[in-house]
Amino acid sequence: MTRTKVILVIEDEPSILALLCDLLEGEGYQVHTATDGQSGLGRLAEAAPDLVLCDVMMPGMDGRAVCSAIYNNRSYRSIPIILMSAVAESSLGLDSAQYSAFMPKPINLDALLGLIERLTP
């Protein structure tokens, strides 16, 4: 039997967080959540995620800082990160961020599920 994949969703907008949780849990993923970057980093050890889905623009620690903190920790460096934003990827200054993929908002749910499947084989 295969292990259930675990996804950590870091999103400060409650309606988007709820939508993503419902979608991912409905697809059989185990979902852990955080509403800001700092608490998201705090959930890494507990959640042991196979993938992190993270908003870019959040108050306090934003998605860029989350990516940097994950990448700079050898224990978590290999975890794929999907960044999400309503702002165009090219306008976010993500050049130095270590992330696996970008998902524009509003999120195409089918495309997101396909991306997650591809990044968590």
Side-chain angles (χ1 to χ4, degrees), residues 22-52:
D22 288 348
L23 171 74
L24 297 170
E25 288 172 349
E27 292 293 321
Y29 293 101
Q30 181 182 345
V31 180
H32 292 262
T33 63
T35 56
D36 61 69
Q38 193 63 49
S39 61
L41 290 177
R43 302 287 316 264
L44 280 172
E46 170 196 338
D50 296 290
L51 182 134
V52 174

mmCIF file of all heavy atoms in Angstrom, residues 22-52:
data_model
loop_
_atom_site.group_PDB
_atom_site.id
_atom_site.type_symbol
_atom_site.label_atom_id
_atom_site.label_comp_id
_atom_site.label_asym_id
_atom_site.label_seq_id
_atom_site.Cartn_x
_atom_site.Cartn_y
_atom_site.Cartn_z
ATOM 1 N N ASP A 22 -10.122 21.608 0.743
ATOM 2 C CA ASP A 22 -11.213 20.760 0.271
ATOM 3 C C ASP A 22 -10.799 19.994 -0.979
ATOM 4 O O ASP A 22 -11.041 18.794 -1.099
ATOM 5 C CB ASP A 22 -12.466 21.589 -0.029
ATOM 6 C CG ASP A 22 -13.146 22.106 1.229
ATOM 7 O OD1 ASP A 22 -12.803 21.641 2.342
ATOM 8 O OD2 ASP A 22 -14.017 22.990 1.102
ATOM 9 N N LEU A 23 -10.191 20.690 -1.919
ATOM 10 C CA LEU A 23 -9.754 20.066 -3.168
ATOM 11 C C LEU A 23 -8.742 18.958 -2.894
ATOM 12 O O LEU A 23 -8.899 17.820 -3.369
ATOM 13 C CB LEU A 23 -9.129 21.115 -4.091
ATOM 14 C CG LEU A 23 -8.449 20.556 -5.342
ATOM 15 C CD1 LEU A 23 -9.484 20.097 -6.358
ATOM 16 C CD2 LEU A 23 -7.514 21.585 -5.951
ATOM 17 N N LEU A 24 -7.702 19.275 -2.146
ATOM 18 C CA LEU A 24 -6.617 18.323 -1.927
ATOM 19 C C LEU A 24 -7.051 17.133 -1.075
ATOM 20 O O LEU A 24 -6.703 15.988 -1.364
ATOM 21 C CB LEU A 24 -5.417 19.030 -1.312
ATOM 22 C CG LEU A 24 -4.791 20.109 -2.202
ATOM 23 C CD1 LEU A 24 -3.764 20.921 -1.427
ATOM 24 C CD2 LEU A 24 -4.172 19.499 -3.444
ATOM 25 N N GLU A 25 -7.827 17.391 -0.038
ATOM 26 C CA GLU A 25 -8.328 16.287 0.783
ATOM 27 C C GLU A 25 -9.262 15.400 -0.033
ATOM 28 O O GLU A 25 -9.243 14.177 0.093
ATOM 29 C CB GLU A 25 -9.026 16.826 2.036
ATOM 30 C CG GLU A 25 -8.026 17.385 3.034
ATOM 31 C CD GLU A 25 -8.655 18.110 4.204
ATOM 32 O OE1 GLU A 25 -9.888 18.393 4.181
ATOM 33 O OE2 GLU A 25 -7.919 18.409 5.165
ATOM 34 N N GLY A 26 -10.062 16.015 -0.907
ATOM 35 C CA GLY A 26 -10.946 15.260 -1.787
ATOM 36 C C GLY A 26 -10.198 14.372 -2.761
ATOM 37 O O GLY A 26 -10.710 13.358 -3.229
ATOM 38 N N GLU A 27 -8.951 14.745 -3.056
ATOM 39 C CA GLU A 27 -8.102 13.953 -3.955
ATOM 40 C C GLU A 27 -7.264 12.930 -3.188
ATOM 41 O O GLU A 27 -6.448 12.236 -3.782
ATOM 42 C CB GLU A 27 -7.182 14.877 -4.760
ATOM 43 C CG GLU A 27 -7.912 15.738 -5.766
ATOM 44 C CD GLU A 27 -8.523 14.928 -6.905
ATOM 45 O OE1 GLU A 27 -7.880 13.968 -7.374
ATOM 46 O OE2 GLU A 27 -9.646 15.263 -7.326
ATOM 47 N N GLY A 28 -7.453 12.871 -1.872
ATOM 48 C CA GLY A 28 -6.766 11.862 -1.074
ATOM 49 C C GLY A 28 -5.465 12.297 -0.429
ATOM 50 O O GLY A 28 -4.764 11.487 0.172
ATOM 51 N N TYR A 29 -5.130 13.573 -0.525
ATOM 52 C CA TYR A 29 -3.915 14.076 0.115
ATOM 53 C C TYR A 29 -4.187 14.374 1.583
ATOM 54 O O TYR A 29 -5.302 14.743 1.960
ATOM 55 C CB TYR A 29 -3.427 15.362 -0.559
ATOM 56 C CG TYR A 29 -2.949 15.160 -1.970
ATOM 57 C CD1 TYR A 29 -3.749 15.490 -3.059
ATOM 58 C CD2 TYR A 29 -1.688 14.620 -2.227
ATOM 59 C CE1 TYR A 29 -3.320 15.304 -4.364
ATOM 60 C CE2 TYR A 29 -1.245 14.423 -3.534
ATOM 61 C CZ TYR A 29 -2.067 14.770 -4.592
ATOM 62 O OH TYR A 29 -1.629 14.572 -5.869
ATOM 63 N N GLN A 30 -3.155 14.231 2.414
ATOM 64 C CA GLN A 30 -3.222 14.698 3.791
ATOM 65 C C GLN A 30 -2.747 16.141 3.764
ATOM 66 O O GLN A 30 -1.667 16.420 3.225
ATOM 67 C CB GLN A 30 -2.336 13.853 4.689
ATOM 68 C CG GLN A 30 -2.374 14.280 6.140
ATOM 69 C CD GLN A 30 -1.429 13.452 7.011
ATOM 70 O OE1 GLN A 30 -0.939 12.408 6.625
ATOM 71 N NE2 GLN A 30 -1.158 13.956 8.191
ATOM 72 N N VAL A 31 -3.534 17.056 4.322
ATOM 73 C CA VAL A 31 -3.225 18.481 4.214
ATOM 74 C C VAL A 31 -2.972 19.089 5.593
ATOM 75 O O VAL A 31 -3.737 18.891 6.525
ATOM 76 C CB VAL A 31 -4.389 19.239 3.524
ATOM 77 C CG1 VAL A 31 -4.074 20.720 3.410
ATOM 78 C CG2 VAL A 31 -4.677 18.639 2.149
ATOM 79 N N HIS A 32 -1.865 19.813 5.686
ATOM 80 C CA HIS A 32 -1.555 20.629 6.858
ATOM 81 C C HIS A 32 -1.598 22.072 6.381
ATOM 82 O O HIS A 32 -1.264 22.360 5.226
ATOM 83 C CB HIS A 32 -0.166 20.304 7.403
ATOM 84 C CG HIS A 32 -0.065 18.938 7.990
ATOM 85 N ND1 HIS A 32 -0.152 18.685 9.330
ATOM 86 C CD2 HIS A 32 0.101 17.726 7.397
ATOM 87 C CE1 HIS A 32 -0.030 17.393 9.552
ATOM 88 N NE2 HIS A 32 0.127 16.782 8.386
ATOM 89 N N THR A 33 -1.999 22.984 7.256
ATOM 90 C CA THR A 33 -2.146 24.377 6.833
ATOM 91 C C THR A 33 -1.429 25.336 7.774
ATOM 92 O O THR A 33 -1.178 25.034 8.935
ATOM 93 C CB THR A 33 -3.630 24.786 6.777
ATOM 94 O OG1 THR A 33 -4.186 24.709 8.092
ATOM 95 C CG2 THR A 33 -4.408 23.899 5.820
ATOM 96 N N ALA A 34 -1.128 26.499 7.209
ATOM 97 C CA ALA A 34 -0.592 27.618 7.971
ATOM 98 C C ALA A 34 -1.079 28.885 7.278
ATOM 99 O O ALA A 34 -1.257 28.910 6.067
ATOM 100 C CB ALA A 34 0.927 27.575 8.006
ATOM 101 N N THR A 35 -1.301 29.935 8.055
ATOM 102 C CA THR A 35 -1.830 31.181 7.491
ATOM 103 C C THR A 35 -0.776 32.263 7.316
ATOM 104 O O THR A 35 -1.087 33.373 6.922
ATOM 105 C CB THR A 35 -2.978 31.723 8.368
ATOM 106 O OG1 THR A 35 -2.501 31.882 9.702
ATOM 107 C CG2 THR A 35 -4.163 30.764 8.352
ATOM 108 N N ASP A 36 0.488 31.919 7.615
ATOM 109 C CA ASP A 36 1.578 32.858 7.353
ATOM 110 C C ASP A 36 2.874 32.064 7.227
ATOM 111 O O ASP A 36 2.939 30.888 7.592
ATOM 112 C CB ASP A 36 1.687 33.924 8.451
ATOM 113 C CG ASP A 36 1.975 33.347 9.809
ATOM 114 O OD1 ASP A 36 3.098 32.825 10.022
ATOM 115 O OD2 ASP A 36 1.083 33.392 10.682
ATOM 116 N N GLY A 37 3.891 32.710 6.684
ATOM 117 C CA GLY A 37 5.150 32.041 6.419
ATOM 118 C C GLY A 37 5.827 31.491 7.655
ATOM 119 O O GLY A 37 6.333 30.368 7.656
ATOM 120 N N GLN A 38 5.856 32.262 8.731
ATOM 121 C CA GLN A 38 6.544 31.824 9.950
ATOM 122 C C GLN A 38 5.893 30.573 10.524
ATOM 123 O O GLN A 38 6.580 29.615 10.880
ATOM 124 C CB GLN A 38 6.549 32.953 10.989
ATOM 125 C CG GLN A 38 7.497 32.696 12.140
ATOM 126 C CD GLN A 38 8.953 32.616 11.710
ATOM 127 O OE1 GLN A 38 9.445 33.463 10.989
ATOM 128 N NE2 GLN A 38 9.652 31.585 12.143
ATOM 129 N N SER A 39 4.564 30.553 10.616
ATOM 130 C CA SER A 39 3.912 29.351 11.146
ATOM 131 C C SER A 39 4.029 28.190 10.167
ATOM 132 O O SER A 39 4.095 27.032 10.562
ATOM 133 C CB SER A 39 2.450 29.621 11.528
ATOM 134 O OG SER A 39 1.700 30.026 10.414
ATOM 135 N N GLY A 40 4.110 28.494 8.871
ATOM 136 C CA GLY A 40 4.329 27.444 7.876
ATOM 137 C C GLY A 40 5.656 26.748 8.097
ATOM 138 O O GLY A 40 5.737 25.515 8.064
ATOM 139 N N LEU A 41 6.708 27.528 8.341
ATOM 140 C CA LEU A 41 8.011 26.931 8.631
ATOM 141 C C LEU A 41 7.957 26.102 9.909
ATOM 142 O O LEU A 41 8.579 25.050 10.001
ATOM 143 C CB LEU A 41 9.080 28.013 8.749
ATOM 144 C CG LEU A 41 9.451 28.722 7.451
ATOM 145 C CD1 LEU A 41 10.475 29.812 7.728
ATOM 146 C CD2 LEU A 41 9.960 27.747 6.403
ATOM 147 N N GLY A 42 7.190 26.574 10.859
ATOM 148 C CA GLY A 42 7.035 25.841 12.114
ATOM 149 C C GLY A 42 6.336 24.507 11.944
ATOM 150 O O GLY A 42 6.523 23.593 12.747
ATOM 151 N N ARG A 43 5.535 24.380 10.909
ATOM 152 C CA ARG A 43 4.794 23.129 10.665
ATOM 153 C C ARG A 43 5.599 22.103 9.880
ATOM 154 O O ARG A 43 5.189 20.964 9.735
ATOM 155 C CB ARG A 43 3.511 23.416 9.880
ATOM 156 C CG ARG A 43 2.514 24.378 10.470
ATOM 157 C CD ARG A 43 1.700 23.880 11.655
ATOM 158 N NE ARG A 43 1.144 22.562 11.591
ATOM 159 C CZ ARG A 43 -0.086 22.225 11.215
ATOM 160 N NH1 ARG A 43 -0.917 23.140 10.811
ATOM 161 N NH2 ARG A 43 -0.498 20.982 11.267
ATOM 162 N N LEU A 44 6.753 22.489 9.319
ATOM 163 C CA LEU A 44 7.523 21.578 8.471
ATOM 164 C C LEU A 44 7.896 20.276 9.169
ATOM 165 O O LEU A 44 7.709 19.196 8.608
ATOM 166 C CB LEU A 44 8.792 22.254 7.956
ATOM 167 C CG LEU A 44 8.616 23.182 6.766
ATOM 168 C CD1 LEU A 44 9.914 23.933 6.502
ATOM 169 C CD2 LEU A 44 8.186 22.425 5.533
ATOM 170 N N ALA A 45 8.448 20.348 10.361
ATOM 171 C CA ALA A 45 8.890 19.137 11.055
ATOM 172 C C ALA A 45 7.706 18.230 11.374
ATOM 173 O O ALA A 45 7.766 17.018 11.171
ATOM 174 C CB ALA A 45 9.640 19.508 12.325
ATOM 175 N N GLU A 46 6.631 18.811 11.856
ATOM 176 C CA GLU A 46 5.437 18.041 12.211
ATOM 177 C C GLU A 46 4.776 17.428 10.980
ATOM 178 O O GLU A 46 4.397 16.262 10.977
ATOM 179 C CB GLU A 46 4.445 18.962 12.926
ATOM 180 C CG GLU A 46 3.080 18.377 13.138
ATOM 181 C CD GLU A 46 2.053 19.448 13.491
ATOM 182 O OE1 GLU A 46 2.446 20.528 13.963
ATOM 183 O OE2 GLU A 46 0.866 19.184 13.272
ATOM 184 N N ALA A 47 4.637 18.213 9.933
ATOM 185 C CA ALA A 47 3.908 17.763 8.743
ATOM 186 C C ALA A 47 4.725 16.810 7.877
ATOM 187 O O ALA A 47 4.170 15.933 7.228
ATOM 188 C CB ALA A 47 3.470 18.973 7.914
ATOM 189 N N ALA A 48 6.038 16.993 7.850
ATOM 190 C CA ALA A 48 6.925 16.224 6.958
ATOM 191 C C ALA A 48 6.312 16.146 5.555
ATOM 192 O O ALA A 48 6.040 15.074 5.042
ATOM 193 C CB ALA A 48 7.170 14.825 7.521
ATOM 194 N N PRO A 49 6.086 17.309 4.935
ATOM 195 C CA PRO A 49 5.351 17.332 3.671
ATOM 196 C C PRO A 49 6.146 16.798 2.481
ATOM 197 O O PRO A 49 7.374 16.864 2.456
ATOM 198 C CB PRO A 49 5.046 18.818 3.471
ATOM 199 C CG PRO A 49 6.171 19.515 4.156
ATOM 200 C CD PRO A 49 6.506 18.652 5.342
ATOM 201 N N ASP A 50 5.396 16.258 1.528
ATOM 202 C CA ASP A 50 5.968 15.846 0.251
ATOM 203 C C ASP A 50 6.035 17.038 -0.696
ATOM 204 O O ASP A 50 6.747 16.989 -1.698
ATOM 205 C CB ASP A 50 5.108 14.744 -0.383
ATOM 206 C CG ASP A 50 5.102 13.495 0.468
ATOM 207 O OD1 ASP A 50 6.149 12.842 0.536
ATOM 208 O OD2 ASP A 50 4.049 13.186 1.077
ATOM 209 N N LEU A 51 5.273 18.093 -0.378
ATOM 210 C CA LEU A 51 5.202 19.288 -1.221
ATOM 211 C C LEU A 51 4.687 20.446 -0.385
ATOM 212 O O LEU A 51 3.861 20.243 0.515
ATOM 213 C CB LEU A 51 4.261 19.032 -2.398
ATOM 214 C CG LEU A 51 4.113 20.177 -3.400
ATOM 215 C CD1 LEU A 51 4.217 19.624 -4.825
ATOM 216 C CD2 LEU A 51 2.773 20.866 -3.246
ATOM 217 N N VAL A 52 5.175 21.647 -0.684
ATOM 218 C CA VAL A 52 4.674 22.868 -0.048
ATOM 219 C C VAL A 52 4.013 23.718 -1.123
ATOM 220 O O VAL A 52 4.595 23.965 -2.187
ATOM 221 C CB VAL A 52 5.814 23.666 0.634
ATOM 222 C CG1 VAL A 52 5.305 25.006 1.156
ATOM 223 C CG2 VAL A 52 6.435 22.850 1.763
#
